[in-house]
Amino acid sequence: NAGVTQTPKFQVLKTGQSMTLQCAQDMNHEYMSWYRQDPGMGLRLIHYSVGAGITDQGEVPNGYNVSRSTTEDFPLRLLSAAPSQTSVYFCASSYSLAGVGSGGTDTQYFGPGTRLTVL
Amino acid sequence: AQKVTQAQTEISVVEKEDVTLDCVYETRDTTYYLFWYKQPPSGELVFLIRRNSFDEQNEISGRYSWNFQKSTSSFNFTITASQVVDSAVYFCALSEPSGGSYIPTFGRGTSLIVHP
């Protein structure tokens, strides 16, 4: 299993540009999430999905769109990049939504991260 | 007010010392979940543990142990006989059933430096 993969690893954008961060998992997990991590901060949830066709907003959804057309893929779109979106982005997946579900031993898996700089 | 407080910004120890990372949380819910994550210098995130609010049993996994005390709203993490490879930033997180979803709130992290 490749686990959770993210592309690209690094990206530099100019203000106003759009782009899509890719995330894929091969563990047949229903739950996928996008987080951003800013210096000196913990992670903040952007959007999450509880299954194909179902997405919902997290704590900081503005400026980002997501879709979940397949179980495997959960892309994150930046509509019009702003310097405030400079951050490291992590995608995660789990069998159940980390925090709920019946799986007491469920583990949340993270991708390697995408470091995004918006100039 | 922070929902998850990790008061220790940085801890420095010498190898083989025991070290405890503190986590204090705030919630009004009776059902909630607590987590610890590790982020080594390479930057990846590693999920360590999830604990639900109804299970106050302490957890031990090798050199790692977690002490959950609802009475003090704390979920502390102890590393026994620390090793250089334990050097990382450790995050504590709380997940509450806000509006039916469990959006996690993370602490700011504790940087652990283990010297040889």
Side-chain angles (χ1 to χ4, degrees):
Chain A
N1 285 352
V4 181
T5 58
Q6 286 183 240
T7 55
K9 289 189 177 180
F10 301 93
Q11 183 70 50
V12 179
L13 293 177
K14 294 181 179 178
T15 297
Q17 287 184 315
S18 62
M19 78 158 295
T20 298
L21 278 63
Q22 301 292 343
C23 174
Q25 52 90 11
D26 61 357
M27 296 172 280
N28 203 32
H29 286 165
E30 291 293 328
Y31 291 83
M32 298 185 74
S33 311
W34 275 103
Y35 297 86
R36 60 176 288 173
Q37 182 179 29
D38 300 303
M41 303 280 288
L43 278 72
R44 290 184 292 171
L45 184 65
I46 305 171
H47 285 285
Y48 65 98
S49 169
V50 301
I54 307 170
T55 63
D56 207 345
Q57 297 181 347
E59 182 185 353
V60 288
N62 292 342
Y64 307 95
N65 270 358
V66 292
S67 60
R68 184 92 179 274
S69 55
T70 67
T71 299
E72 294 77 23
D73 300 299
F74 190 43
L76 178 72
R77 296 183 189 84
L78 279 70
L79 308 173
S80 177
S84 61
Q85 293 178 304
T86 293
S87 188
V88 180
Y89 292 84
F90 289 97
C91 179
S93 78
S94 55
Y95 178 75
S96 65
L97 181 64
V100 297
S102 59
T105 58
D106 185 26
T107 298
Q108 190 179 31
Y109 297 88
F110 287 87
T114 295
R115 187 173 294 274
L116 175 68
T117 302
V118 183
L119 303 174
Chain B
Q2 286 186 22
K3 288 192 173 184
V4 178
T5 302
Q6 294 181 256
Q8 305 148 310
T9 303
E10 184 176 296
I11 300 176
S12 183
V13 300
V14 177
E15 213 172 13
K16 297 184 183 177
E17 281 187 41
D18 297 347
V19 58
T20 296
L21 283 61
D22 297 332
C23 175
V24 174
Y25 62 92
E26 179 185 327
T27 181
R28 294 182 179 180
D29 291 304
T30 56
T31 301
Y32 54 89
Y33 294 79
L34 295 161
F35 309 81
W36 277 96
Y37 298 83
K38 174 182 179 180
Q39 187 172 42
S42 51
E44 75 269 24
L45 281 161
V46 180
F47 171 92
L48 295 177
I49 190 172
R50 174 183 67 186
R51 172 68 69 216
N52 73 57
S53 54
F54 298 107
D55 183 1
E56 285 193 77
Q57 268 193 326
N58 290 334
E59 176 95 10
I60 297 175
S61 177
R63 295 183 298 106
Y64 294 173
S65 63
W66 291 269
N67 183 272
F68 177 27
Q69 291 196 341
K70 290 175 75 170
S71 60
T72 56
S73 296
S74 64
F75 186 44
N76 297 337
F77 173 32
T78 297
I79 301 175
T80 302
S82 59
Q83 299 176 1
V84 172
V85 293
D86 296 326
S87 297
V89 180
Y90 291 87
F91 293 99
C92 179
L94 165 71
S95 189
E96 305 166 281
S98 168
S101 64
Y102 283 77
I103 296 178
T105 301
F106 282 75
R108 291 178 179 255
T110 297
S111 177
L112 173 65
I113 301 169
V114 182
H115 299 280

